[in-house]
Amino acid sequence: MHLVLCVVLVLFGCPFGKMFVLHPSPEASAVKANRELEIRKILLESLNLQREPRVSVSKMNHLRDQWKATLESTMPSSPGNSTFPEDSGNSTCCKHSSQVFIKDLGWDRWVVYPESITFVQCRSCGMNRCSETADASAQCCKPTAHEILPFLYVDEWSSLVLSSVSLIRECGCKNTGS
């Protein structure tokens, strides 16, 4: 028992022990920040907003809970959201999806519903793509299915706004052979 305690103290008490603690690299943090900026821009454009509304709404959590219950009871259930990259069913086009929480975007002070979305991007994958040239392969991997998601938010005049956003659900590559 004393040996285990000594080993733990040595590992956590000296710089050698600290090298086992995992920290995100600066590159990974920069990639995450760029991705969040890209998602913010796409969502703001979809909501026809120039910028995020600056609002001060008290009792936002109560309002959010009321609307969440109302919207979820009236909307048809959707299949489970994935948080991992997926193969879209062919070897030329990959569907990369990630769960994005409104709170992580810093929008929880003005977005009432939803609390999170599944954000999907379509990307070519592998070397054997729709055609022989790289330019054509980048163009062939496109969204093949969308989902309309309601967004409820408070605008700068403290009015509730119900809007919708079209999100990519599936990706595919259609050959446009001659």
Side-chain angles (χ1 to χ4, degrees):
M1 182 68 174
H2 292 303
L3 179 62
V4 171
L5 182 60
C6 289
V7 169
V8 169
L9 286 174
V10 167
L11 285 176
F12 290 107
C14 68
F16 177 74
K18 290 184 181 180
M19 77 177 186
F20 292 108
V21 178
L22 296 177
H23 297 282
S25 69
E27 295 85 15
S29 297
V31 167
K32 181 180 178 190
N34 286 339
R35 180 157 172 77
E36 285 179 1
L37 284 173
E38 177 186 3
I39 292 170
R40 280 188 186 117
K41 180 182 175 191
I42 290 169
L43 290 175
L44 284 173
E45 286 175 1
S46 296
L47 293 169
N48 292 323
L49 294 172
Q50 297 289 327
R51 59 184 169 89
E52 300 173 22
R54 306 250 186 256
V55 297
S56 174
V57 178
S58 60
K59 301 181 182 179
M60 181 62 105
N61 288 335
H62 179 67
L63 180 64
R64 186 175 287 119
D65 291 341
Q66 284 181 326
W67 279 95
K68 179 180 171 186
T70 301
L71 287 172
E72 287 180 349
S73 68
T74 60
M75 291 176 45
S77 61
S78 59
N81 292 335
S82 172
T83 57
F84 299 101
E86 304 173 10
D87 183 353
S88 62
N90 61 48
S91 61
T92 58
C93 187
C94 290
K95 172 176 130 179
H96 296 272
S97 59
S98 57
Q99 192 76 17
V100 178
F101 291 89
I102 297 301
K103 187 173 187 170
D104 291 343
L105 295 175
W107 288 5
D108 56 325
R109 68 186 180 283
W110 63 277
V111 173
V112 177
Y113 183 87
E115 291 179 348
S116 68
I117 61 169
T118 300
F119 189 77
V120 176
Q121 291 180 304
C122 301
R123 297 185 187 140
S124 296
C125 53
M127 294 305 292
N128 184 15
R129 298 184 182 125
C130 296
S131 72
E132 302 300 319
T133 64
D135 291 336
S137 65
Q139 295 174 0
C140 75
C141 185
K142 297 191 187 277
T144 58
H146 288 80
E147 174 184 33
I148 303 298
L149 181 69
F151 256 74
L152 181 67
Y153 65 92
V154 178
D155 67 10
E156 292 186 6
W157 299 276
S158 297
S159 298
L160 281 176
V161 178
L162 180 60
S163 189
S164 60
V165 173
S166 177
L167 296 174
I168 299 168
R169 281 293 152 240
E170 296 297 329
C171 302
C173 191
K174 293 184 180 179
N175 257 336
T176 58
S178 20

